Amino acid sequence: MWPKNFRKCVIASVYQNLFWDSFNGSEYIPDWTVLINEIKNEDIEFTESDLIKVYNIYLSNKEIYIDQIIKHINKWDKTFDIIKACLIVFLLESNLNEDKEAKLVGHYIKFAQDFAGGENPALVHAVISKMIEESA
């Protein structure tokens, strides 16, 4: 599993990509130094190149990830970009790591609870559960 701070950096970069894309379709290039410094604590266990590698995988597979998620959400256009990013990064992490997806679910529900609140944690839980069932 990824360290919590790494996961937050990846979610933040995906969120910013989705956010700027929805405005004008422009390509977003993350400022990794700023992201790392915003999320930084003493236990940084990753490098900027680690983040770039994962972000490039996201860019290469963005439409595939969205297609996998969109069939489980009735109102994709009404879903907050931060929740979209959370779900996309779940797919990224579960595809890149050999850990069981079930171990990851709690991390993403907690993220949705901390950063979006409301009904979003339940939405994240439901969508991730459906994707896990579908892949089994």
Side-chain angles (χ1 to χ4, degrees):
M1 279 195 307
W2 293 341
K4 180 179 180 179
N5 291 334
F6 185 83
R7 187 178 295 120
K8 282 184 177 182
C9 283
V10 175
I11 291 172
S13 65
V14 170
Y15 164 74
Q16 291 177 5
N17 173 268
L18 293 170
F19 178 81
W20 288 110
D21 188 44
S22 70
F23 273 108
N24 57 11
S26 65
E27 184 176 336
Y28 166 75
I29 301 170
D31 185 337
W32 298 112
T33 304
V34 170
L35 280 173
I36 290 170
N37 287 333
E38 288 293 323
I39 296 171
K40 186 176 184 177
N41 71 16
E42 312 80 47
D43 301 332
I44 296 293
E45 303 169 0
F46 54 90
T47 65
E48 185 175 319
S49 63
D50 296 329
L51 290 167
I52 292 169
K53 178 182 173 186
V54 170
Y55 186 74
N56 286 335
I57 292 169
Y58 154 71
L59 290 177
S60 298
N61 297 292
K62 180 178 178 178
E63 295 306 317
I64 294 168
Y65 293 139
I66 290 172
D67 287 345
Q68 286 179 317
I69 296 167
I70 205 167
K71 58 186 166 183
H72 301 293
I73 295 182
N74 292 336
K75 298 179 181 175
W76 178 253
D77 58 326
K78 302 284 186 199
T79 304
F80 294 125
D81 286 341
I82 192 70
I83 298 303
K84 292 176 183 179
C86 181
L87 294 167
I88 289 168
V89 175
F90 167 79
L91 284 175
L92 254 169
E93 184 173 2
S94 63
N95 287 338
L96 295 175
N97 293 313
E98 295 180 10
D99 292 327
K100 297 283 185 204
E101 290 101 348
K103 292 181 183 179
L104 298 176
V105 175
H107 295 293
Y108 288 90
I109 293 170
K110 176 83 169 113
F111 180 87
Q113 183 176 13
D114 290 348
F115 291 94
E119 297 175 10
N120 292 296
L123 173 65
V124 167
H125 187 239
V127 172
I128 288 175
S129 295
K130 287 178 185 177
M131 289 188 299
I132 290 172
E133 285 176 17
E134 186 177 80
S135 69

